[in-house]
Amino acid sequence: MDQKHIRNFCIIAHIDHGKSTLSDRLLEITQTVEKRKMKEQLLDTMDLERERGITIKLQPARMRYTAKDGVEYELNLIDTPGHVDFTYEVSRSLAAVEGAILLVDSTQGVQAQTIANLYLAIEQNLAIIPVLNKIDLPNSDVERRAAELIQLIGCKREEILSASGKTGMGVPEILERVVKDVPPPNGDEKKPFRALIFDSKYDDYQGVIAYVRCVDGALNKNEKIAFKATRAEGIALEVGCLKPQHQATGQMRAGDIGYLVTGLKDISGVRVGDTICLAERFDETEALPGYKEVRPMVYAGIFPQEGNEYEKLRDAILKLKLNDSSLTFEPEHSTALGFGFRVGLLGMLHLEIVQERLSREFDMDVVITTPSVGYEVMRTNGEEKLIKSPGEFPDASVIEFTREPWVKVDILSPKEYLGNVMALVQDRRGVYKNTEYIDITRALLHYEMPLASVIVDFYDKLKGVTAGYASLNYEFLEFRESDIVRLDILVAEEPVEALSTLLHSSEAYRRGKEIVETLKEELPKQQFVVKLQASIGAKVIASERLQAYRKDVLAKMSGGDYTRKSKLLQKQKKGKQRMLEHGKGSVEIPPDTFIKVLRRG
């Protein structure tokens, strides 16, 4: 189709504002999917997405639409996630399109993620189409929410569309606006073929399948292709579009969004953000600007439950990384858990989803260590290093200073809960910046906070203190100097490496006390007293004792003078003392105790 009749756009919104439902209606109205094959959340292809009711992966779909002017258009839609942990999926979608539908729930109004996604779209110079969704609900307040949008993006009231993704009301008007307001692609069909990879996946039979936006030129089936960054070469075994299932077309031209079966079995050859070109024109083809490198927010150790499944876990994580480019990993060894990987993730939900996908898609049972953030350490010799695990943390005597990551936090909350929110953030070492009022009932609070304070359970606590009404968005700001310490846990006077954690000195006592109390509850008793200690360097900051099994040595004595009993008790005491000396470090910690300690954290 001629480029001037192509429109590429995506839907951006806060989580649960109806993106997937609106996508369903668009596919239904354009008759892209037959009525008998239609189901809810059609573009959410993972079982996990359907169960949780959230979008995790971006998903493209091509539609044909005949506008009111009688002209047929090709519409390429990309449905995007709404949760803060999957912002990287959104930014990649935005780089592949020319326009965005900004969807706002008319019952809830503008939320923190709405604003964050809008700014991402503005950075890419996209045409923005504001839409108020869920207008069929009895508690929708269209005029009030329209006023919020006018204040947010400076549009006119008549530019804001009202629709219901559930009933289909107002959806044809959205399609007309897409055709009218979204500019067509401006690729050059005469130039050599160039395409940007915005997503990819692995198929056991077809190898790596790349989802691409064709920028210039054209590609035909069976032509030789090359990847600019990795210099890998392959053949375009199949070329086509997504409707939303794969439909082979045999050709891809400038402006199209589609898929490409590369036949490559080496996963490392294909990277999201790379440029695909024709192998014969490799040197003369200029690479497209890719995506900015994603920065992991959270690091956690992932170990197989069975030690002999290390290779299987490595293959599983490699395939997962192909489909989830914000995932980073490197090998790691733990004395307690064996060989595994230190994985970099974008947040706690991301970690949960990765664990769930490893279990479902690859049948892998894994143990996950305490998630922590990365800290920068400057040594006295001038060497600087990013520390991702407690085992890498150097001795305090060689540390000049430590830096921890801080994030910019936006919290949108009803006015009556502002006091609760401020108290919670202050408790987490947050620094107040300013407050913006979205309307007379809701305020947007701007804070700067340590990332470690945000990732663990801050979101749950925030929902708790605001009766579930607040929404949160955060983005990395910078590393700031901070007093970071390594908390070591000693069992029977021997440090247990897997239980060590890095944290701010102000939180060390609380966490140390928590761990030793959990160990006291969970560890099996020994024949001798077991010392449980939490220490920073040589200083013990919390301590408990696990009492020994007791044996009634006086049970066999029938009577007589007390000195006989005393002599026997003294003999037992010396025996226990000898056992305590021999028992240093010989206490085995069961794997389920590790998990309970980590979960409690």
Side-chain angles (χ1 to χ4, degrees), residues 273-285:
D274 195 2
T275 303
I276 301 181
C277 63
L278 295 172
E280 62 200 38
R281 313 286 290 268
F282 185 85
D283 294 327
E284 63 187 273
T285 308

Side-chain angles (χ1 to χ4, degrees), residues 43 74 105 270 299 520 587:
L43 292 182
E74 179 187 296
D105 185 336
V270 181
Y299 295 93
K520 188 181 178 183
V587 177

